Amino acid sequence: MRDWYLLYCKRSEQERAVINLDRQGAECYYPQVVVEKIVRGKRCECFEPLFPSYVFVTFDSEQLSFTTVRSTRGVADFIRQGALPQIVSEELVYNLMLNEDNNSYEHMFESLPQQGDKLILEQGKFKGLDAIYQEADGEKRSFMLINLLGKQVKVSVENTDLIKNKD
C-alpha cells in the first residue's frame, strides 16, 4: 500500500526535491497558484507553491526506504507525528489536485485588500498598528506600510496577521 506523506524541503528547493524523488520512483505533488508579481520592473504572472517548502509524496516503502527519501537532495525531513512520518489523507491530496485543476485557489486571493486600503493588524509582532496595504508578496503574501517612530516603513506581513478594516 502506498500512503501519502508530507515532506519539508529546504528553502526554495521543492523542484529539486521533486525531480530527484521522481528519478527514484516516488510520486510527488505540490500545489501551485498563479500570482501576479513585478519582476525586473514588469508585471507578470508566476507560479508559486501554495505551501512553500512542502511537498506531498507517495512511494512503495518496500522499494524505496524512508531513509532514502529523507536523504534526497532538496528534502529536509518528513513531517512527523512522534517518531513516525505523518500519513496524509489520500482524499486531501486528491482534493488539492482537483482544486488546482479547476483553478479553485483563485478565491483565496480575492479577499485580499486593494492597494491603499487602511487596516489594523490583528496578530503577530505588529498587532494593533495601523497599516496601509501595498501589494501581495509571494511567500509572506502582503507588503504593508506601517508607522514606526513617526515614519512609514514597508514590512512584509502574513495574511493571517491582517485584516480588520479601519473605518
Side-chain angles (χ1 to χ4, degrees):
M1 176 134 178
R2 294 171 56 118
D3 292 316
W4 282 93
Y5 301 94
L6 186 59
L7 296 173
Y8 181 73
C9 296
K10 296 173 185 169
R11 184 170 171 82
S12 302
E13 292 198 16
Q14 284 173 290
E15 288 185 40
R16 171 185 268 180
V18 169
I19 289 167
N20 289 316
L21 289 165
D22 282 341
R23 288 180 184 155
Q24 296 173 39
E27 181 183 344
C28 300
Y29 173 66
Y30 67 104
Q32 297 183 12
V33 293
V34 177
V35 178
E36 269 191 25
K37 288 177 113 176
I38 296 177
V39 178
R40 296 186 192 109
K42 294 183 181 181
R43 186 174 299 272
C44 68
E45 290 185 346
C46 303
F47 284 100
E48 287 194 359
L50 184 60
F51 308 114
S53 299
Y54 292 93
V55 172
F56 295 96
V57 64
T58 185
F59 56 93
D60 184 352
S61 59
E62 292 180 10
Q63 294 181 359
L64 188 62
S65 73
F66 287 95
T67 305
T68 303
V69 171
R70 193 185 75 226
S71 301
T72 300
R73 289 188 72 173
V75 174
D77 204 352
F78 283 92
I79 299 302
R80 299 175 180 277
Q81 182 174 2
L84 301 173
Q86 174 67 46
I87 295 174
V88 177
S89 160
E90 184 175 356
E91 182 180 347
L92 171 71
V93 176
Y94 290 131
N95 281 335
L96 285 169
M97 288 178 182
L98 181 64
N99 285 331
E100 185 177 36
D101 289 343
N102 295 331
N103 292 322
S104 299
Y105 297 132
E106 297 302 317
H107 72 278
M108 292 175 60
F109 299 104
E110 291 172 359
S111 64
L112 287 177
Q114 298 299 312
Q115 184 174 7
D117 285 355
K118 294 180 180 177
L119 311 166
I120 296 175
L121 301 177
E122 291 186 325
Q123 299 176 22
K125 58 187 171 187
F126 301 111
K127 181 179 180 179
L129 292 178
D130 293 339
I132 300 172
Y133 183 83
Q134 289 296 293
E135 62 186 10
D137 167 34
E139 278 183 39
K140 298 292 183 192
R141 300 292 184 230
S142 295
F143 279 119
M144 309 293 284
L145 285 179
I146 62 171
N147 285 314
L148 286 177
L149 302 173
K151 183 177 178 183
Q152 281 193 338
V153 179
K154 187 176 184 179
V155 296
S156 186
V157 178
E158 295 280 341
N159 278 352
T160 56
D161 294 349
L162 301 178
I163 297 175
K164 180 177 177 183
N165 283 330
K166 185 179 179 186
D167 296 322

